[in-house]
Amino acid sequence: MNHSITIREYEPTDKDAVINLIRLNIPKYFAPTEETDLNYYLDHERELYYVLLFDGQIVGCGGINFEDNKTTGKISWDILHPQYQGKSLGSQLLKYRIEKIKVIDSIQKITVRTSQLAYKFYEKQGFELNEVKEDYWAKGFDLYRMEYKGLD
């Protein structure tokens, strides 16, 4: 059976669906306090944010932010519905954003800040681990700072 997979820009009307996605991933991948952080991000810090629709339903989301005078593209707030994990949808959404970043002339590097729970996913996609900080996001949720090696 063929399923339709669409990636499009986030719209404010998608917010409830996105917040629901993080709730479905607490406490496995996100600390309970991160729901508030995501809520704030969507309203105040979002630069480019995308949703992934599977047969018309939002099952994934993820963003891009910029820093260092737009020389660094940061992969941010990747969340995938638990029932749709392990089906390459997260990889598709990540590759989509990497391609969006690559066409921006000023970009010199792509980074992601994740946790010990998801860093293997990014490693498989060409990111290299640079730094670990214990209990950074919350107790038991370490920071894994990574950089994409496929820009050259």
Side-chain angles (χ1 to χ4, degrees):
M1 181 171 163
N2 284 344
H3 293 283
S4 86
I5 295 168
T6 312
I7 297 172
R8 64 160 169 80
E9 285 199 30
Y10 168 91
E11 295 160 10
T13 52
D14 299 329
K15 187 173 180 183
D16 287 347
V18 168
I19 294 297
N20 187 50
L21 288 178
I22 196 170
R23 286 181 183 151
L24 292 169
N25 282 283
I26 293 171
K28 188 171 180 185
Y29 292 107
F30 293 95
T33 53
E34 291 183 274
E35 182 183 329
T36 306
D37 297 341
L38 176 61
N39 203 22
Y40 184 85
Y41 171 87
L42 291 171
D43 290 344
H44 304 285
E45 297 171 337
R46 176 170 49 87
E47 290 182 74
L48 296 174
Y49 204 72
Y50 301 93
V51 291
L52 184 145
L53 291 86
F54 186 89
D55 292 344
Q57 180 190 357
I58 294 176
V59 299
C61 54
I64 303 169
N65 288 77
F66 300 98
E67 61 183 16
D68 305 324
N69 292 322
K70 214 169 177 176
T71 58
T72 300
K74 293 174 17 182
I75 297 295
S76 53
W77 286 109
D78 280 328
I79 312 170
L80 204 61
H81 191 295
Q83 291 178 332
Y84 294 86
Q85 292 169 9
K87 301 184 188 319
S88 85
L89 297 174
S91 304
Q92 287 180 51
L93 183 57
L94 180 60
K95 287 179 179 125
Y96 180 87
R97 286 174 294 150
I98 288 171
E99 292 309 311
K100 289 272 183 201
I101 294 170
K102 279 182 172 179
V103 298
I104 300 168
D105 291 337
S106 60
I107 293 293
Q108 292 166 18
K109 68 179 174 178
I110 301 173
T111 63
V112 67
R113 298 184 319 158
T114 187
S115 73
Q116 76 274 23
L117 306 165
Y119 90 97
K120 287 270 187 220
F121 165 77
Y122 293 102
E123 208 171 55
K124 285 184 196 136
Q125 307 298 326
F127 285 79
E128 195 173 85
L129 183 60
N130 290 340
E131 179 188 14
V132 176
K133 283 187 183 168
E134 278 188 35
D135 296 334
Y136 178 86
W137 306 108
K139 184 142 184 61
F141 291 85
D142 304 340
L143 165 69
Y144 277 57
R145 194 182 302 272
M146 305 179 79
E147 187 174 331
Y148 183 65
K149 292 300 169 197
L151 266 186
D152 310 327

